[in-house]
Structure formats: structure tokens, C-alpha cells
Amino acid sequence: MNIERHLAVLDLNARYAEAIDDGRFEEWPDFFTEDGRYRVTTAENVAQNLPLSLIYATSRAMLRDRVKSLREANIYEAQRYRHMLGPARIEADGDGALRVRTSFMVARVMHTGETTLFATGSYRDRVVLDGATARLAERTVILDSRQIDTLLAIPL
Amino acid sequence: MNIERHLAVLDLNARYAEAIDDGRFEEWPDFFTEDGRYRVTTAENVAQNLPLSLIYATSRAMLRDRVKSLREANIYEAQRYRHMLGPARIEADGDGALRVRTSFMVARVMHTGETTLFATGSYRDRVVLDGATARLAERTVILDSRQIDTLLAIPL
Amino acid sequence: MNIERHLAVLDLNARYAEAIDDGRFEEWPDFFTEDGRYRVTTAENVAQNLPLSLIYATSRAMLRDRVKSLREANIYEAQRYRHMLGPARIEADGDGALRVRTSFMVARVMHTGETTLFATGSYRDRVVLDGATARLAERTVILDSRQIDTLLAIPL
């Protein structure tokens, strides 16, 4: 294992969670490569080999559009999130890209102060290194729950 | 501190959680040594020095039997788990075995999608190294809660 | 990045959480320097640049007094806590002190066994090294929720 690559991945995960939890959603697309893919699906779909996605974006530009619409719809304003990530497990480290897998729990805190365990699941990522900076060429968010309603709103 | 031993312990914890969270329960006994012990108790019992265990298995074979019965009873089918582990704290590193302690939170996601914080506590482990692979010679799961009902069903 | 300093910070966070989760509150002031500051505020206050604190202590002696009063009031007795901490992000490493930031989730387990997600937020710390031991010159606890009632009771 290459320690520097590993640390770059840990740093990516930490900064990604921090930006969302701080409400700096406009920074979110920058964690991806220019043609990075972001997909949200469920463990049930994955188990049944269904290609269904709840969200599927194939470029940084699409992610920027998404953030813009959500800002205009005021989706983010009344709530905060808190991500807890497990250790990043590097599953394969080929030339150019690393396959990484990370468990997560996300809590949602409403404006009223009510705190709930909002989402759990895992990230399956393809990470590329741009110098010392790691970026997501692909992040597939696999939700443990099939209950998806408002989940669609926020970057996970 | 020996960095390689430490990394082997982190890897053990990550793979253990991942196998359970993926529903690969049949792999669970393999994280233990042949005569590995698995014990579940409560913080209350520990504080009162009570030797009571909710579960006590003293070999990999017993763990395999346990998984088999639970599969036959369809206990696992309708729910998923998500483990979040804290840092593995190596408390002692004697010849042959490491004493390790790790905090955990486990969420349970029902088939309906309902997500709850299911269990919290800590692992107290005795870990041995089999080449580069760390295995549990003993894992004592100390639950923060005394409320135990369905907790007995799943590997924690 | 200096690996040894980083490991000392990780160790501080792990021991801090462990002492509270074990109910060893009397050890809590020792994680601070003699004139260490402990402050609890909310993300809302921080966003609005309000200097309001829910708790503000400016020495180890004040923290000791606090623990003593809470013990006398029996605040701690009927409940347990479980901290899960994210990775410690070292934001700056100047001469003498490190600026560190860490996300957390805290679960509360009542005597009845009821478990709830009690608090989420982040620590913003100033950490100094006393030989190999890291201590808090300052810990600001920024709560995601504005709902504060019983939060005031326990060390976060």
C-alpha cells in the first residue's frame, strides 16, 4: 500500500464531509473530476443487480446545476447534516485509479433542533490523484434503506 | 508501537464490520481463531463484576452453528445493519496477543426503510496475528444498554 | 505533516471519548492544560458571529468544580454516553499549538436501555504538546442543534 495515496483518500473523505456539514454545498462538485460520476442507489437494487439510480449525474457541471436548483428551492436552509465516515478501505489500486469503499452514517438536524439518524450506507468510489489532491472520478452512494423521499435533496 | 500490527488490527475491524453490514454472516466465524471466544455482555454487568453473558461461544464451530440456526430461522432476512467503529485503541501489545478496545455504534435498517440506532458499546479484544492477518482470539462485546431482546440475534 | 504530532492528537481524542463513555468524568479536566478553555456553543451562534456560549470555563479548576457539582446533583448516574469521532483534521500546525477540527456524534443510553442520538457537532481545538502527551489548550464544542436543555449537563 502506498501511504501517501491512502492519506490523500482519507483527506478527500474528510473534506467532502466537512463541506456538506458546513453547508458549503457549492464546493461539493469540486470534489469530483470534470467528468466525474455521482450516483445514488439502494442496497436492494445492488443485490438484485438492478441498474436503477435515484440520482445519476455524469459531470461536475451537472452537480453544479443540481446545487443551484436546490439553493433556489431553499431545500438546504432549514436543516444541517453531520456525516460520520468509517475507515476508507482501498480495495484495488490499479494504474491511475483507486477503488475505495467507505461506510457512512448521516444525521439530520432540523431547525427546531430535532436530530435523527437520516441515512446509512456505503460509498463505492473510483478515486484519481491530481498531484497530491484526490478527486472522485466516480462516487456511488449505496443506501441501506429503500425509503428515499427527501434523501434525494441533499448531497450524500 | 508496531505500525504493521496496528494496521492489521484496523483492517480486521473494517473487514469484520463490512462482512456483517453486507449480510455475509457465513464469513463472520473466520474472523476468529479456531478456538476463538465471542462473548456479549452489558456495561452494567461489567461494572458490577458479574460474569453473566448474553451470548458466549468458545469456538469457530459454535459461531458457525449459530449463523446456521439464525439463517434457518430467517432472522437476518428482513433487516440490514451498519456498523461505525471508533479508532482501535491498542492497550497492550504482549508476546503473541494484542489487547484492543474499540467503540461502536450499530444502526438497524428494517425492510420498510425505518432506521434506528440499534446498539452502542465497545469491543474488548484479544487479537493474534497469523502472518499478516489479524484474528480474534477473543471478542467481548460490552453493550451500553441493558435492553437486550433482539440484540441476541445478530453478530455484533 | 508531522506524524508523531498527528498520532498524539488522535490519541488525545480517543482517550477523551473513552473517559467520558466509561463514566470517568473526574479524569476529564486532565485532558486540558492548567488554563485550558472549554466552551460549548451552537452552529447557529457561530454562523451569526455571536459570542454566546452555553458553557464557558477557563481553567482546569473550573472544570473540576463542574464535575463535582454534577456528581453531587447525581446528573450522570442514570445514563451512559457513547462518542463516535470523525478523523481529526489538523488545520494548522504553528509553533507551539495545533488547530484541530473533529466531527462527533454522541448517543445517550438511559438506564431503561433507551438509546437516542443525543448530540452532533464538531470540536474546534487548540492542542499543545507536553512531551508526547497532547492536551487541550482550548476546545470549542459547536453543536449542530440549537436545542440545548440537558446538553448542558455532561462533558461533550
Side-chain angles (χ1 to χ4, degrees):
Chain A
M1 192 188 61
N2 181 317
I3 292 272
E4 273 177 46
R5 301 186 102 178
H6 196 148
L7 290 178
V9 170
L10 293 182
D11 185 58
L12 168 65
N13 271 349
R15 286 181 295 113
Y16 181 103
E18 207 167 279
I20 296 173
D21 294 349
D22 278 357
R24 294 180 274 111
F25 299 109
E26 281 70 17
E27 296 179 18
W28 174 58
D30 295 328
F31 294 109
F32 291 81
T33 59
E34 196 58 51
D35 58 350
R37 288 163 191 267
Y38 173 73
R39 190 181 158 219
V40 180
T41 186
T42 66
E44 200 172 44
N45 284 347
V46 170
Q48 295 171 13
N49 262 317
L50 294 176
L52 302 174
S53 295
L54 311 178
I55 299 179
Y56 191 38
T58 56
S59 72
R60 210 189 261 166
M62 281 178 72
L63 296 177
R64 284 198 215 290
D65 282 349
R66 182 168 178 82
V67 170
K68 211 175 151 211
S69 339
L70 291 168
R71 281 286 188 211
E72 278 161 10
N74 276 337
I75 298 285
Y76 298 143
E77 314 313 316
Q79 50 205 40
R80 297 181 66 84
Y81 297 89
R82 180 63 51 188
H83 286 66
M84 297 301 288
L85 305 187
R89 286 246 300 139
I90 296 181
E91 299 186 305
D93 183 350
D95 47 297
L98 295 89
R99 295 269 166 195
V100 185
R101 167 177 178 153
T102 311
S103 281
F104 66 82
M105 282 188 185
V106 181
R108 178 165 66 174
V109 183
M110 305 306 288
H111 191 57
T112 55
E114 193 203 347
T115 301
T116 52
L117 189 52
F118 178 61
T120 67
S122 68
Y123 299 135
R124 307 292 169 92
D125 300 331
R126 207 156 52 83
V127 175
V128 294
L129 287 161
D130 182 5
T133 304
R135 287 192 206 279
L136 296 160
E138 194 175 325
R139 168 155 285 184
T140 300
V141 181
I142 303 179
L143 298 170
D144 290 326
S145 174
R146 67 202 306 202
Q147 192 177 299
I148 54 165
D149 51 305
T150 49
L151 280 175
L152 297 189
I154 63 136
L156 277 167
Chain B
M1 192 187 61
N2 180 318
I3 292 274
E4 273 176 48
R5 301 187 102 181
H6 196 150
L7 290 177
V9 170
L10 293 181
D11 185 58
L12 169 65
N13 271 349
R15 287 180 296 114
Y16 182 102
E18 209 167 277
I20 296 173
D21 294 350
D22 278 357
R24 294 180 272 114
F25 300 109
E26 281 71 15
E27 296 179 17
W28 174 58
D30 294 328
F31 295 110
F32 292 80
T33 59
E34 197 58 50
D35 59 348
R37 288 163 190 268
Y38 173 75
R39 187 180 159 219
V40 180
T41 186
T42 66
E44 201 173 43
N45 283 349
V46 170
Q48 296 171 13
N49 263 317
L50 295 176
L52 302 173
S53 296
L54 312 178
I55 299 179
Y56 191 38
T58 56
S59 72
R60 211 189 261 166
M62 282 179 72
L63 297 176
R64 283 198 216 290
D65 282 350
R66 182 169 178 81
V67 170
K68 212 175 149 209
S69 340
L70 292 167
R71 281 286 188 212
E72 278 160 11
N74 276 336
I75 298 286
Y76 299 145
E77 314 314 315
Q79 51 205 39
R80 297 181 67 84
Y81 298 87
R82 180 62 52 188
H83 285 66
M84 296 302 287
L85 304 188
R89 286 246 300 140
I90 295 180
E91 300 187 305
D93 183 348
D95 46 299
L98 296 89
R99 295 267 165 197
V100 185
R101 168 178 175 150
T102 312
S103 281
F104 66 82
M105 282 188 185
V106 181
R108 178 166 65 173
V109 183
M110 304 307 286
H111 191 57
T112 54
E114 194 204 346
T115 301
T116 51
L117 189 53
F118 177 61
T120 67
S122 69
Y123 299 135
R124 307 293 168 90
D125 301 331
R126 206 155 53 81
V127 175
V128 293
L129 287 161
D130 181 5
T133 305
R135 286 192 209 281
L136 296 160
E138 193 175 324
R139 167 153 286 183
T140 298
V141 181
I142 303 178
L143 298 170
D144 291 326
S145 174
R146 65 198 312 200
Q147 191 176 299
I148 54 165
D149 50 305
T150 50
L151 280 174
L152 297 190
I154 63 137
L156 278 167
Chain C
M1 192 187 61
N2 181 317
I3 292 274
E4 273 176 48
R5 300 186 101 177
H6 196 149
L7 291 177
V9 170
L10 293 182
D11 185 59
L12 168 65
N13 270 348
R15 287 181 294 114
Y16 182 101
E18 208 168 276
I20 296 173
D21 294 350
D22 279 356
R24 294 180 273 112
F25 300 109
E26 281 69 16
E27 296 179 18
W28 173 58
D30 295 328
F31 294 109
F32 291 81
T33 59
E34 196 59 50
D35 59 349
R37 289 165 191 265
Y38 173 75
R39 188 181 159 219
V40 180
T41 186
T42 67
E44 200 172 45
N45 284 348
V46 170
Q48 295 171 12
N49 262 317
L50 294 175
L52 302 175
S53 295
L54 311 179
I55 300 179
Y56 191 39
T58 56
S59 72
R60 208 189 264 165
M62 281 177 74
L63 297 177
R64 283 197 216 290
D65 282 350
R66 183 167 177 81
V67 170
K68 211 176 151 211
S69 339
L70 291 168
R71 281 286 189 212
E72 278 161 10
N74 275 336
I75 298 284
Y76 299 143
E77 313 315 316
Q79 51 204 38
R80 298 181 66 84
Y81 297 89
R82 180 61 53 188
H83 286 66
M84 297 300 288
L85 305 187
R89 287 246 299 140
I90 296 181
E91 299 187 306
D93 183 349
D95 46 298
L98 296 89
R99 295 267 166 197
V100 184
R101 167 177 176 152
T102 312
S103 281
F104 66 82
M105 283 190 185
V106 181
R108 179 165 64 173
V109 183
M110 305 306 286
H111 191 58
T112 55
E114 194 203 346
T115 301
T116 52
L117 189 51
F118 177 61
T120 67
S122 69
Y123 298 134
R124 308 292 169 91
D125 301 330
R126 207 156 53 81
V127 175
V128 293
L129 287 161
D130 181 5
T133 304
R135 286 191 207 280
L136 295 161
E138 194 175 323
R139 166 155 286 183
T140 299
V141 181
I142 303 179
L143 298 170
D144 291 327
S145 174
R146 67 200 308 202
Q147 190 177 301
I148 53 166
D149 51 304
T150 49
L151 280 174
L152 297 188
I154 63 136
L156 277 166

